[in-house]
Amino acid sequence: MTLQSVTLSNGVEMPILGFGVFQIPPGQTQATVEAALEVGYRHLDTAAAYQNEEAVGAAIAASGIPRDELFVTTKLWIQHAPTGSVEDDSRRSFDNSLRRLGLDYVDLYLIHQPFGDVYSEWRALQQLNKEGLARAIGVSNFYPDRLVDLIDHNEIAPTVNQVETHPFFQRESDQALMKERGVQIESWGPFAEGRNNIFSDPVLGAIGESHGKSIAQVVLRWLVQREVVVIPKSVRKDRMAENFDIFDFTLTDDQLAQIATLDTGVSLFFDHREPTMVGRLGGHRVS
Ligand SMILES: NC(=O)c1ccc[n+]([C@@H]2O[C@H](COP(=O)([O-])OP(=O)(O)OC[C@H]3O[C@@H](n4cnc5c(N)ncnc54)[C@H](OP(=O)(O)O)[C@@H]3O)[C@@H](O)[C@H]2O)c1
């Protein structure tokens, strides 16, 4: 089995399959990430907001895996500029993430939410990229309008946009727009965190049976075939291994067409353009 990768617009190679650590309690994260690294994952996705960067860093250190064999992503939360400069505070927030991770650089640094003064945040990220402290920079949860605006008014374009993408919210047209603009799509919530009874969906189940694969494997394979980077989360080592074992089968055109029928075209969580959520997330503080 070969772990495939994509080449970002700035030439950086990114493993197409990684491991996400959202909602893993800090006390459980080190052991969980160590298990994921044992299974073979070399791409880890965390965020300042997940409050578990230290544990991710401890697992990396304990693994002894050479740094250049790993791909580590973390994210900048919305900055509120107590010092008066969002750019300076973004830099400080990055320094804190790097210290918690115990690393000298990250492979990918993302603006976590499309809210607040993202232009000042982006200037800080551009500088980090130029200094080699973030090999690639990108965004998350940006709808196409915000993404294009950010690209058109800055020096460096985001290499990645990490957005909710799963069989019930497939984002084909968003992916096409990103591709046109040189932005790699990355899926969060590939299993919709279990919503819509995804793990007992009859369409996905029948496709899985025909390949001797689970529904989780079908979903991940479907994303990888679409060239969507994906970072499933599990606290169970058997599931980590299952989710990693997706490179030995191919979905047929007919099966891809069947999966296309599951798309509802809307988020199963919330729309990042919804005013209540803009206010709620904007009020959340992360150091
Ligand atoms: N940028 C953002 O705003 C954003 C938002 C959300 C997530 N993310 C990133 O995306 C990653 C993945 O998304 P997610 O964690 O929200 O959700 P997810 O990967 O769609 O779903 C995780 C859920 O699926 C279960 N699961 C995993 N593998 C399974 C399998 N093979 N069979 C059955 N159940 C399985 C897990 O349970 P167990 O753990 O009990 O196995 C967990 O309840 C996150 O960890 C995070 O890194 C980013």
Side-chain angles (χ1 to χ4, degrees):
M1 187 184 71
T2 321
L3 183 55
Q4 296 168 7
S5 63
V6 295
T7 306
L8 303 180
S9 59
N10 66 351
V12 167
E13 291 279 312
M14 179 180 195
I16 200 161
L17 177 65
F19 185 74
V21 301
F22 180 43
Q23 287 170 336
I24 302 179
Q28 214 183 325
T29 305
Q30 182 176 344
T32 304
V33 174
E34 282 180 21
L37 293 170
E38 280 163 22
V39 163
Y41 292 89
R42 291 293 179 267
H43 164 186
L44 304 171
D45 182 272
T46 184
Y50 301 169
Q51 312 272 320
N52 57 16
E53 288 170 312
E54 266 177 18
V56 171
I60 291 171
S63 76
I65 297 170
R67 175 67 185 90
D68 62 1
E69 289 177 20
L70 294 169
F71 189 100
V72 181
T73 301
T74 193
K75 313 185 191 85
L76 174 71
W77 189 253
I78 307 158
Q79 295 299 297
H80 295 91
T83 68
S85 164
V86 167
E87 208 170 323
D88 290 351
D89 282 359
S90 301
R91 176 68 182 227
R92 211 175 340 268
S93 186
F94 174 81
D95 291 343
N96 286 337
S97 284
L98 210 54
R99 181 181 40 75
R100 286 190 291 256
L101 285 163
L103 300 176
D104 300 330
Y105 65 90
V106 297
D107 296 280
L108 179 62
Y109 196 44
L110 303 178
I111 290 183
H112 202 149
Q113 303 290 351
F115 310 138
D117 184 0
V118 294
Y119 288 82
S120 295
E121 292 176 1
W122 191 252
R123 278 193 292 279
L125 265 65
Q126 290 184 143
Q127 186 56 32
L128 291 166
N129 188 224
K130 286 177 187 172
E131 292 175 30
L133 293 167
R135 293 177 65 229
I137 53 175
V139 296
S140 179
N141 297 309
F142 275 53
Y143 275 82
D145 56 337
R146 292 257 172 163
L147 183 67
V148 169
D149 196 55
L150 192 76
I151 292 170
D152 284 353
H153 299 285
N154 282 289
E155 187 188 342
I156 301 177
T159 56
V160 169
N161 187 15
Q162 185 183 111
V163 292
E164 177 190 347
T165 313
H166 48 71
F168 308 116
F169 191 26
Q170 302 192 1
R171 315 203 75 153
E172 286 281 359
S173 62
D174 291 351
Q175 183 180 4
L177 182 277
M178 288 183 219
K179 192 171 178 151
E180 196 183 300
R181 291 299 193 129
V183 180
Q184 172 65 48
I185 184 172
E186 178 176 15
S187 151
W188 66 253
F191 307 135
E193 293 180 8
R195 293 183 189 200
N196 271 16
N197 295 319
I198 190 168
F199 294 117
S200 49
D201 183 88
V203 172
L204 298 171
I207 294 172
E209 266 175 41
S210 76
H211 292 283
K213 291 285 181 182
S214 69
I215 285 180
Q217 290 170 321
V218 168
V219 170
L220 297 174
R221 179 71 212 177
W222 165 71
L223 287 163
V224 165
Q225 268 184 233
R226 282 179 54 194
E227 294 180 10
V228 177
V229 172
V230 62
I231 43 170
K233 168 260 174 189
S234 178
V235 293
R236 287 176 40 171
K237 198 171 182 181
D238 58 337
R239 288 180 176 170
M240 294 175 199
E242 177 186 331
N243 296 345
F244 199 69
D245 182 20
I246 57 161
F247 295 102
D248 61 351
F249 74 111
T250 304
L251 301 171
T252 64
D253 288 347
D254 178 54
Q255 290 171 334
L256 296 175
Q258 288 177 49
I259 297 173
T261 66
L262 301 179
D263 193 14
T264 65
V266 291
S267 167
L268 256 54
F269 295 85
F270 62 89
D271 190 319
H272 282 76
R273 296 163 300 193
E274 202 180 285
T276 324
M277 285 311 296
V278 177
R280 196 176 301 165
L281 287 177
H284 184 60
R285 299 284 194 272
V286 173
S287 65

Coordinates of all heavy atoms in Angstrom, one line a residue, residues 19-23 45-46 50 75 110 112-113 140-141 162-163 187-194 199 214 216-217 231-236 239-240 242-243 269 272, ligand 1:
F19 N -4.5 12.3 9.8 CA -5.2 11.9 11.0 C -5.6 13.2 11.8 O -4.7 14.0 12.1 CB -4.3 11.0 11.9 CG -5.0 10.5 13.1 CD1 -5.9 9.5 13.0 CD2 -4.7 11.1 14.4 CE1 -6.5 9.0 14.2 CE2 -5.3 10.6 15.5 CZ -6.2 9.6 15.4
G20 N -6.9 13.3 12.0 CA -7.4 14.5 12.7 C -7.6 14.3 14.2 O -7.9 13.2 14.6
V21 N -7.4 15.3 15.0 CA -7.4 15.1 16.5 C -8.5 16.0 17.1 O -8.4 16.2 18.4 CB -6.0 15.3 17.1 CG1 -5.0 14.4 16.5 CG2 -5.5 16.8 17.0
F22 N -9.4 16.5 16.4 CA -10.5 17.4 17.0 C -11.3 16.5 17.9 O -11.7 15.3 17.6 CB -11.4 17.9 15.9 CG -12.5 18.8 16.3 CD1 -12.4 19.7 17.3 CD2 -13.8 18.6 15.7 CE1 -13.4 20.5 17.7 CE2 -14.9 19.5 16.1 CZ -14.7 20.4 17.1
Q23 N -11.6 17.0 19.1 CA -12.5 16.4 20.1 C -11.9 15.2 20.8 O -12.6 14.4 21.4 CB -13.9 16.0 19.5 CG -14.7 17.2 19.2 CD -16.0 17.0 18.4 OE1 -16.0 16.0 17.6 NE2 -16.9 17.8 18.6
D45 N -3.4 16.5 11.9 CA -4.1 17.8 11.8 C -4.6 18.2 13.2 O -5.5 17.5 13.8 CB -5.3 17.6 10.8 CG -6.1 18.9 10.7 OD1 -7.0 19.2 11.5 OD2 -5.8 19.7 9.8
T46 N -4.1 19.3 13.7 CA -4.5 19.8 15.0 C -4.9 21.3 14.8 O -4.9 21.8 13.7 CB -3.5 19.5 16.1 OG1 -4.1 20.0 17.3 CG2 -2.2 20.2 15.9
Y50 N -8.1 23.3 19.5 CA -8.4 21.9 20.0 C -7.8 21.6 21.3 O -8.1 20.6 22.0 CB -7.9 20.8 19.0 CG -8.5 20.9 17.6 CD1 -7.9 20.1 16.6 CD2 -9.5 21.7 17.3 CE1 -8.4 20.2 15.3 CE2 -10.0 21.7 16.0 CZ -9.5 21.0 15.0 OH -10.0 21.0 13.7
K75 N -3.7 25.4 13.3 CA -4.5 26.5 12.8 C -4.6 27.6 13.8 O -4.5 27.4 15.0 CB -6.0 25.9 12.6 CG -6.0 24.6 11.8 CD -7.5 24.2 11.5 CE -7.5 22.7 11.0 NZ -7.5 21.7 12.1
L110 N -3.1 27.1 8.9 CA -4.3 27.6 8.4 C -5.0 28.6 9.2 O -5.0 28.6 10.5 CB -5.3 26.4 8.3 CG -4.9 25.1 7.5 CD1 -6.0 24.1 7.6 CD2 -4.6 25.5 6.0
H112 N -8.2 29.4 10.8 CA -9.2 28.4 11.1 C -10.7 28.8 10.7 O -11.4 27.9 10.2 CB -9.2 28.2 12.6 CG -9.8 26.9 13.1 ND1 -9.3 26.2 14.2 CD2 -10.8 26.1 12.6 CE1 -10.0 25.1 14.4 NE2 -10.9 25.0 13.4
Q113 N -11.0 30.1 10.8 CA -12.3 30.5 10.5 C -12.3 31.8 9.6 O -11.4 32.6 9.8 CB -13.1 30.9 11.8 CG -13.2 29.7 12.7 CD -14.1 28.6 12.3 OE1 -14.8 28.7 11.3 NE2 -14.1 27.5 13.0
S140 N -9.4 27.8 6.2 CA -10.3 26.7 6.5 C -11.7 27.4 6.6 O -11.8 28.5 7.1 CB -10.0 26.0 7.8 OG -10.9 25.1 8.1
N141 N -12.7 26.7 6.1 CA -14.1 27.1 6.2 C -14.4 28.4 5.4 O -15.3 29.1 5.7 CB -14.5 27.4 7.7 CG -14.4 26.1 8.4 OD1 -15.0 25.1 8.0 ND2 -13.7 26.1 9.6
Q162 N -9.5 24.0 3.9 CA -10.1 22.8 4.6 C -11.5 23.1 4.9 O -11.8 24.0 5.7 CB -9.3 22.5 5.9 CG -9.7 21.3 6.6 CD -9.0 21.1 7.9 OE1 -9.6 21.2 9.0 NE2 -7.7 20.8 7.9
V163 N -12.4 22.3 4.3 CA -13.9 22.6 4.5 C -14.6 21.3 4.7 O -14.2 20.2 4.3 CB -14.4 23.3 3.2 CG1 -13.9 24.7 3.1 CG2 -14.1 22.5 1.9
S187 N -10.8 17.8 3.1 CA -12.1 17.5 3.8 C -11.9 17.5 5.3 O -11.1 16.8 5.8 CB -12.6 16.2 3.3 OG -13.4 15.5 4.3
W188 N -12.8 18.2 6.0 CA -13.0 17.8 7.4 C -14.3 17.2 7.6 O -15.2 17.3 6.8 CB -12.8 19.0 8.4 CG -13.7 20.2 8.4 CD1 -13.5 21.5 7.9 CD2 -15.1 20.3 9.0 NE1 -14.6 22.3 8.1 CE2 -15.5 21.6 8.8 CE3 -15.9 19.4 9.6 CZ2 -16.8 22.0 9.2 CZ3 -17.1 19.8 10.1 CH2 -17.6 21.1 9.9
G189 N -14.4 16.3 8.7 CA -15.7 15.6 8.9 C -16.1 14.7 7.8 O -17.2 14.6 7.3
P190 N -15.1 13.8 7.3 CA -15.4 13.0 6.1 C -16.6 12.0 6.4 O -17.3 11.6 5.5 CB -14.1 12.2 6.0 CG -13.4 12.2 7.3 CD -13.7 13.6 7.8
F191 N -16.8 11.7 7.7 CA -17.9 10.8 8.1 C -19.1 11.6 8.6 O -20.0 11.0 9.2 CB -17.5 9.8 9.1 CG -16.2 9.0 8.8 CD1 -15.2 8.8 9.7 CD2 -16.1 8.5 7.5 CE1 -14.1 8.1 9.4 CE2 -14.9 7.7 7.2 CZ -13.9 7.6 8.1
A192 N -19.0 12.9 8.4 CA -20.0 13.8 8.9 C -20.2 13.6 10.4 O -21.3 13.7 11.0 CB -21.4 13.6 8.2
E193 N -19.1 13.2 11.1 CA -19.1 12.8 12.5 C -20.2 11.8 12.8 O -20.7 11.8 13.9 CB -19.1 14.1 13.4 CG -17.9 14.9 13.3 CD -17.9 16.2 14.1 OE1 -18.8 16.4 14.9 OE2 -17.0 17.0 13.9
G194 N -20.5 11.0 11.9 CA -21.5 9.9 12.1 C -23.0 10.4 11.9 O -23.9 9.6 12.1
F199 N -22.9 5.4 8.9 CA -22.3 4.1 9.0 C -23.3 3.0 8.8 O -22.9 1.8 8.8 CB -21.6 4.0 10.4 CG -20.4 4.9 10.5 CD1 -20.4 5.9 11.4 CD2 -19.3 4.8 9.6 CE1 -19.3 6.8 11.6 CE2 -18.2 5.7 9.7 CZ -18.2 6.6 10.7
S214 N -15.4 -1.6 4.3 CA -16.4 -1.0 5.2 C -16.9 0.4 4.6 O -16.3 0.9 3.6 CB -15.8 -0.7 6.5 OG -14.9 0.4 6.4
A216 N -16.8 3.2 6.0 CA -15.8 4.2 6.3 C -14.7 4.2 5.2 O -14.3 5.3 4.6 CB -15.1 4.0 7.6
Q217 N -14.3 3.0 4.8 CA -13.3 2.9 3.7 C -13.8 3.4 2.4 O -13.1 4.0 1.6 CB -12.8 1.4 3.6 CG -12.0 1.0 4.8 CD -11.7 -0.5 4.8 OE1 -12.6 -1.3 4.5 NE2 -10.5 -0.9 5.3
I231 N -8.7 13.8 6.5 CA -8.1 13.6 7.8 C -9.0 13.0 8.8 O -9.4 13.6 9.8 CB -7.5 15.0 8.3 CG1 -8.6 16.1 8.1 CG2 -6.2 15.3 7.7 CD1 -8.3 17.4 8.8
P232 N -9.5 11.7 8.6 CA -10.4 11.1 9.6 C -9.9 11.1 11.0 O -8.7 10.9 11.2 CB -10.6 9.7 9.0 CG -9.3 9.4 8.2 CD -8.9 10.8 7.6
K233 N -10.8 11.1 11.9 CA -10.4 11.0 13.4 C -11.0 9.7 13.9 O -12.1 9.3 13.7 CB -11.0 12.2 14.1 CG -10.9 12.1 15.6 CD -12.3 11.7 16.2 CE -12.2 11.4 17.7 NZ -13.4 10.8 18.3
S234 N -10.2 9.0 14.7 CA -10.7 7.9 15.6 C -9.9 7.8 16.8 O -8.6 7.9 16.7 CB -10.8 6.6 14.8 OG -11.3 5.6 15.7
V235 N -10.5 7.4 17.9 CA -9.6 7.1 19.1 C -9.3 5.6 19.2 O -8.6 5.2 20.0 CB -10.3 7.6 20.4 CG1 -10.4 9.1 20.4 CG2 -11.7 6.9 20.6
R236 N -9.9 4.8 18.2 CA -9.7 3.4 18.2 C -8.7 2.9 17.2 O -8.8 3.2 16.0 CB -11.0 2.7 18.0 CG -12.0 2.8 19.2 CD -13.3 2.2 18.9 NE -13.3 1.0 18.1 CZ -14.4 0.2 17.9 NH1 -15.5 0.6 18.4 NH2 -14.3 -0.9 17.2
R239 N -9.9 1.1 14.1 CA -10.5 2.0 13.1 C -9.5 2.8 12.4 O -9.6 3.1 11.2 CB -11.6 2.9 13.8 CG -12.8 2.1 14.2 CD -13.8 3.1 14.8 NE -15.0 2.4 15.1 CZ -16.0 3.0 15.9 NH1 -15.8 4.2 16.4 NH2 -17.1 2.3 16.1
M240 N -8.4 3.2 13.1 CA -7.3 4.0 12.5 C -6.8 3.1 11.3 O -6.5 3.6 10.2 CB -6.2 4.2 13.5 CG -6.5 5.2 14.6 SD -5.1 5.2 15.7 CE -5.9 5.9 17.2
E242 N -8.2 0.6 9.8 CA -9.3 0.4 8.8 C -9.3 1.7 7.9 O -9.3 1.6 6.6 CB -10.6 0.3 9.5 CG -11.8 0.2 8.6 CD -13.1 0.2 9.4 OE1 -13.1 -0.3 10.6 OE2 -14.1 0.7 8.9
N243 N -9.2 2.8 8.5 CA -9.3 4.1 7.7 C -8.0 4.3 6.9 O -8.1 5.1 5.9 CB -9.5 5.3 8.6 CG -10.9 5.2 9.4 OD1 -11.7 4.4 9.0 ND2 -11.0 6.0 10.4
F269 N -23.7 20.6 9.6 CA -23.3 21.3 10.9 C -23.9 22.7 11.0 O -24.9 22.9 11.6 CB -21.8 21.2 11.0 CG -21.3 19.8 11.1 CD1 -21.0 19.1 10.0 CD2 -21.1 19.2 12.4 CE1 -20.6 17.8 10.1 CE2 -20.7 17.9 12.5 CZ -20.4 17.2 11.3
H272 N -21.1 28.7 7.4 CA -20.3 29.7 8.0 C -20.7 31.1 7.5 O -20.0 32.1 7.9 CB -18.8 29.4 7.6 CG -18.2 28.4 8.4 ND1 -18.5 27.0 8.2 CD2 -17.3 28.4 9.5 CE1 -17.8 26.3 9.2 NE2 -17.1 27.2 9.9
Ligands
LIG1 N1 -11.4 23.1 10.1 C1 -12.4 22.9 10.9 O1 -13.2 23.7 11.2 C2 -12.7 21.4 11.3 C3 -13.9 21.1 11.8 C4 -14.1 19.7 12.2 C5 -13.0 18.8 12.1 N2 -11.8 19.2 11.5 C6 -10.7 18.3 11.4 O2 -11.2 17.1 10.6 C7 -10.9 16.0 11.4 C8 -12.0 14.9 11.1 O3 -13.3 15.4 11.3 P1 -14.1 15.0 12.6 O4 -13.2 14.5 13.7 O5 -14.9 16.2 13.0 O6 -15.1 13.9 12.2 P2 -15.1 12.5 11.3 O7 -13.7 12.1 11.0 O8 -16.1 12.7 10.2 O9 -15.8 11.5 12.3 C9 -15.2 11.1 13.5 C10 -16.2 10.1 14.1 O10 -16.3 8.9 13.3 C11 -16.0 7.8 14.1 N3 -15.2 6.8 13.3 C12 -14.0 7.0 12.8 N4 -13.6 6.0 12.0 C13 -14.6 5.1 12.0 C14 -14.9 3.9 11.4 N5 -13.9 3.3 10.6 N6 -16.0 3.2 11.6 C15 -17.0 3.8 12.4 N7 -16.8 5.0 13.1 C16 -15.7 5.7 12.8 C17 -15.2 8.3 15.3 O11 -15.5 7.5 16.4 P3 -14.3 7.0 17.4 O12 -13.3 8.1 17.6 O13 -14.9 6.5 18.6 O14 -13.7 5.8 16.6 C18 -15.8 9.7 15.5 O15 -17.0 9.6 16.2 C19 -10.9 16.5 12.8 O16 -10.4 15.5 13.7 C20 -10.1 17.7 12.7 O17 -8.8 17.5 12.6 C21 -11.6 20.5 11.2

